Amino acid sequence: RCFPHMSRREADALVQGGRVAVNGKVAAPSLRLRGGDILTLDGRNVAWEGIAQKAELPTHNGYVYFKYHKPVGYTCSMDSNDRSSMRSQLQPLLKDRRLFAAGRLDKDSSGLVLLTDDGRAVDALLQPRNEKEKEYIVTVTPEITDGHVAELGAGVVISTVQQRGPAKEVTARTLPCTVERISRGGLGSH
């Protein structure tokens, strides 16, 4: 999107060839630009922010839906004042849309998060009264014992900031759930 006169493959080739830099450092293929970043091609500044703002987001019935791989170190918050929030990472793409995360991951975890401005879809997925089943596959370090698996299944006490209404911290026990070990010894081991 930052090089509208090129195809995506051509732009990717420039990045792979080390010709693109962000803030003076050679850009990695997966790097996301943030407002204020300085983008250069062959040492020349590229005015990318205006180009990114003009890019149209694909919509479905007027709503946008994103699959976002949240990296470790960022919160699922959409708070524009929080530099560690997903919103701060996605700001150039979001324009002025108000997005909601359909679920959340802790700051020290990574994984897929669905983002949308379709509040009804988020409510349909997350409201407890709708009883939507959720499945998580996680890798933990250090390896957990059978006792830990039983404790997790009985529910755990968590604290979180309330997303609706005044921001206040709420502490509660999660509902019991099914927890099973699917492998031992790391990814790919059984």
Side-chain angles (χ1 to χ4, degrees), residues 6-166:
M6 297 178 194
S7 71
R8 182 177 175 144
R9 286 187 183 185
E10 290 170 323
D12 286 346
L14 293 175
V15 172
Q16 292 285 348
R19 296 175 56 193
V20 177
V22 175
N23 300 325
K25 296 180 182 172
V26 175
S30 61
L31 180 69
R32 296 276 181 201
L33 295 174
R34 294 188 220 164
D37 282 343
I38 299 170
L39 175 69
T40 59
L41 171 61
D42 295 330
R44 290 188 215 114
N45 284 351
V46 175
W48 69 273
E49 290 186 79
I51 296 166
Q53 288 174 352
K54 289 178 188 173
E56 288 300 314
L57 298 174
T59 65
H60 179 70
N61 293 331
Y63 296 110
V64 295
Y65 302 87
F66 296 99
K67 293 186 295 184
Y68 176 65
H69 182 82
K70 185 196 84 65
V72 170
Y74 293 94
T75 66
C76 281
S77 163
M78 296 307 284
D79 181 355
S80 59
N81 296 317
D82 178 1
R83 294 225 10 109
S84 69
S85 73
M86 288 189 303
R87 179 156 194 92
S88 71
Q89 296 301 297
L90 299 169
Q91 189 61 46
L93 180 65
L94 299 181
K95 302 180 184 183
D96 291 324
R97 288 189 184 266
R98 183 168 180 222
L99 294 186
F100 307 96
R104 58 165 250 176
L105 297 171
D106 291 336
K107 187 173 184 176
D108 61 350
S109 64
S110 66
L112 182 69
V113 176
L114 174 67
L115 299 171
T116 182
D117 57 354
D118 184 351
R120 291 186 313 169
V122 173
D123 283 345
L125 291 169
L126 299 183
Q127 283 298 320
R129 70 178 173 270
N130 295 330
E131 299 181 355
K132 295 291 182 188
E133 185 174 311
K134 297 166 186 77
E135 182 173 321
Y136 302 88
I137 299 174
V138 299
T139 303
V140 295
T141 304
E143 189 170 315
I144 62 174
T145 66
D146 291 339
H148 291 131
V149 171
E151 288 175 23
L152 289 170
V156 295
V157 175
I158 61 169
S159 294
T160 187
V161 176
Q162 187 173 295
Q163 296 294 311
R164 294 192 175 149

